[in-house]
Amino acid sequence: MAKAQGRSKTAVQSAHRAMTEGIGLDILKGEFRIGELLPPPDELAERYKVSRTVQREAFKTLAAKGLVASKTKVGTWVMPERFWNMFDAELLEWRTRLGMDQRFIASLFEVRRALEPEAAALAAQRRSAKQVEQLRETVTAMAACTERHAFIECDLAFHVAITEASGNPFLQSLGGLIEAALGAAFARSTPVQGVEQLRHSAAQHRTIFRAIEARDAEAARAAMIVVINTGAENARAQSAPSG
């Protein structure tokens, strides 16, 4: 009996996840348009093969993300984008899975410029000896990378480690929430012309590390700005139409 109940609970959770993700992706793709009512419950039940109970829970989850709102006797409709919680990890994962346009990438780099330089400055002031060693190992691995995917993984680990070393719980949470988006952004902003440019980028990151190691907050802040600006320039160049 316990196993049967466990399977039943798992099935409900799976159905809830599938419907939440399905509607979320359809909203992001524009299949459910902003301001429009979602299809009636019976239609959604048939479309996603779920019960009314699962629908209600899925709507609660989507409402918490800012994607939808509901009203009795009116229905559930799609909210304007300004209400979406863009720091929600699941929403970001859906967004990056669908692909990021130039406007989204530009917005992401604007957020990075606003927050990551301060995270680097705080890390310089608050980092522990263990965190310094972690950053040293990561930046050393970056310098040894000759393959794009491995470089991106190290790049992401380096930036997340800095948010951790900042000691600020909001910045630490930010690092985890935007990890998926950063990974996709780095995939476009990481240099593609060859090993020499990978080494140049690694050297820029080593400058951040050295400033943090030296507890030089201003130098860490400035070095982080250089890295972010370089990434933004690379992203723009790769997004520009060829020819």
Side-chain angles (χ1 to χ4, degrees), residues 100-102 105 188 234-242:
M100 300 190 297
D101 57 26
Q102 291 187 28
I105 293 235
R188 298 184 68 168
N234 288 331
R236 280 195 298 269
Q238 293 186 51
S239 298
S242 58

Side-chain angles (χ1 to χ4, degrees), residues 112-128 135 158-159 161-168 171 207-209 211-225 228:
R112 293 186 63 198
R113 287 191 191 94
L115 297 175
E116 288 193 75
E118 188 60 28
L122 290 173
Q125 297 167 356
R126 300 172 178 175
R127 90 295 186 279
S128 66
L135 286 167
F158 183 82
H159 286 268
I162 287 176
T163 64
E164 286 296 316
S166 75
N168 182 295
L171 291 171
T207 301
I208 300 173
F209 162 71
I212 291 174
E213 182 183 34
R215 295 191 184 276
D216 189 335
E218 289 305 315
R221 181 183 286 112
M224 179 63 80
I225 291 172
I228 294 171

Side-chain angles (χ1 to χ4, degrees), residues 51-201:
S51 67
R52 290 291 188 90
T53 300
V54 169
Q55 282 192 56
R56 286 194 293 270
E57 292 305 311
F59 287 157
K60 288 180 183 178
T61 300
L62 292 166
K65 299 177 188 299
L67 291 173
V68 303
S70 301
K71 188 174 182 180
T72 304
K73 296 183 179 180
V74 175
T76 300
W77 63 93
V78 181
M79 292 291 286
E81 190 173 355
R82 67 180 181 277
F83 292 103
W84 299 358
N85 179 9
M86 292 307 299
F87 293 118
D88 180 90
E90 195 170 32
L91 178 54
L92 280 166
E93 194 278 324
W94 296 340
R95 184 66 181 79
T96 55
R97 194 193 311 176
L98 293 174
M100 300 190 297
D101 57 26
Q102 291 187 28
R103 184 176 70 89
F104 186 86
I105 293 235
S107 296
L108 177 58
F109 276 105
E110 288 171 356
V111 172
R112 293 186 63 198
R113 287 191 191 94
L115 297 175
E116 288 193 75
E118 188 60 28
L122 290 173
Q125 297 167 356
R126 300 172 178 175
R127 90 295 186 279
S128 66
K130 183 178 180 180
Q131 288 168 331
V132 168
E133 288 310 306
Q134 180 187 5
L135 286 167
R136 187 195 310 277
E137 290 174 5
T138 304
V139 81
T140 299
M142 287 180 73
C145 285
T146 58
E147 191 272 324
R148 178 186 176 88
H149 180 72
F151 186 91
I152 293 168
E153 288 186 349
C154 290
D155 200 344
L156 178 58
F158 183 82
H159 286 268
V160 171
I162 287 176
T163 64
E164 286 296 316
S166 75
N168 182 295
F170 292 99
L171 291 171
Q172 289 169 338
S173 296
L174 180 71
L177 289 173
I178 67 174
E179 184 172 348
L182 282 176
F186 290 157
R188 298 184 68 168
S189 65
T190 301
V192 296
Q193 286 84 350
V195 174
E196 288 304 315
Q197 285 217 1
L198 291 180
R199 288 176 178 167
H200 176 69
S201 182

